[in-house]
Amino acid sequence: MNPVPNWMPPLSFATILTGVCVVGAAQADKLPSVIPQFFLHPVGFILTGLIAISCYEYNQLPLAVALVLFLLSLWSARHASVSSVSSVPTSNEGFQTFVPSGTIDWVNNEKQKWFVERVLKETPLGIQDKQVNTYPVQTESSGSFR
Amino acid sequence: MLSLIELSIGMVLVFILLTISLPMDVEYHNAVKRAAYNPAARLAACAAVVGLALYSPVLAFLGLLVVFFWMSDIQLLTKRRVE
């Protein structure tokens, strides 16, 4: 009698878990906040690290690497998002962390640099603020005479 | 004991690791760093590291370091929020 049910895919549990960890590591900044909250809690972090070490001991090296990569990606993404919310901006450089796709113009290598970029030796990755709205000076008396 | 192929791949990975965090004054770094925004590129890099682990633990560890710094660099760049 075959102990593996028919509905199971022809993959081991470790392989499936490795795939899930790889996808999770690649999409770490888009995961629901509950998942990083659990895995980055000291208990969850140490527990996952112990699982990774035991996987290494049981010759499941890909799963161990995937778990470590998943933890590091979560930590890195969380660190970036927390910094973007809590820190006081010290510079006008940088992009918003979560922006709709298509709102950043990527600077390709063929594009001729602006004068200020050449002078300041800047190599920007992209341009986010492409439009500047200016308005005429508004005074209290504009448009109405009392 | 590492074979010659493993050693050469390891040296290349260490070279990438050492140069990937340099200032972006070379166009090559600009393009490589920008690729970290692409989820498909990140997925491919993570899968490559796991695939490397099937062959050599040392190379997998080096690859893990490279991918981690590659993804962290672009997140460090974007962490400063424009108000």
Side-chain angles (χ1 to χ4, degrees):
Chain A
M1 183 179 172
N2 189 5
V4 180
N6 286 334
W7 53 267
M8 283 288 285
L11 296 170
S12 66
F13 177 72
T15 310
I16 297 171
L17 195 58
T18 305
V20 170
C21 287
V22 165
V23 173
Q27 307 285 340
D29 54 342
K30 296 181 180 64
L31 292 175
S33 61
V34 180
I35 297 174
Q37 203 173 358
F38 173 75
F39 282 100
L40 295 180
H41 191 270
V43 177
F45 196 88
I46 292 172
L47 203 64
T48 316
L50 286 176
I51 292 171
I53 292 170
S54 57
C55 286
Y56 178 74
E57 291 295 324
Y58 284 100
N59 291 327
Q60 292 288 342
L61 187 61
L63 181 55
V65 169
L67 278 171
V68 173
L69 198 60
F70 178 64
L71 277 183
L72 288 177
S73 300
L74 279 183
W75 176 77
S76 178
R78 178 66 175 272
H79 178 70
S81 65
V82 165
S83 300
S84 69
V85 171
S86 64
S87 67
V88 176
T90 56
S91 168
N92 286 331
E93 297 291 330
F95 305 119
Q96 292 180 9
T97 308
F98 299 105
V99 292
S101 60
T103 56
I104 294 177
D105 276 350
W106 298 115
V107 177
N108 53 20
N109 296 341
E110 292 81 23
K111 189 177 179 181
Q112 190 177 4
K113 285 190 174 185
W114 290 358
F115 174 73
V116 66
E117 289 175 352
R118 284 203 306 271
V119 170
L120 298 177
K121 294 187 169 63
E122 290 181 343
T123 53
L125 280 173
I127 299 170
Q128 188 172 31
D129 293 327
K130 291 164 279 189
Q131 187 175 358
V132 177
N133 294 322
T134 58
Y135 301 98
V137 177
Q138 300 288 324
T139 60
E140 290 183 0
S141 62
S142 63
S144 66
F145 295 99
R146 293 177 187 174
Chain B
M1 187 69 184
L2 288 175
S3 69
L4 193 61
I5 297 174
E6 282 181 330
L7 200 62
S8 352
I9 297 174
M11 284 168 67
V12 171
L13 283 175
V14 169
F15 175 75
I16 293 171
L17 179 64
L18 290 176
T19 55
I20 206 163
S21 292
L22 286 177
M24 290 183 293
D25 53 352
V26 184
E27 306 292 355
Y28 167 74
H29 291 119
N30 206 340
V32 171
K33 277 176 185 282
R34 202 186 312 148
Y37 274 116
N38 192 343
R42 291 203 301 259
L43 182 65
C46 295
V49 169
V50 171
L52 211 57
L54 291 170
Y55 298 101
S56 168
V58 180
L59 293 183
F61 178 69
L62 287 173
L64 191 143
L65 285 180
V66 171
V67 169
F68 172 67
F69 280 108
W70 176 60
M71 292 198 297
S72 296
D73 260 1
I74 207 77
Q75 282 167 344
L76 283 176
L77 186 75
T78 58
K79 81 173 184 180
R80 287 175 296 179
R81 187 179 179 188
V82 179
E83 295 292 338

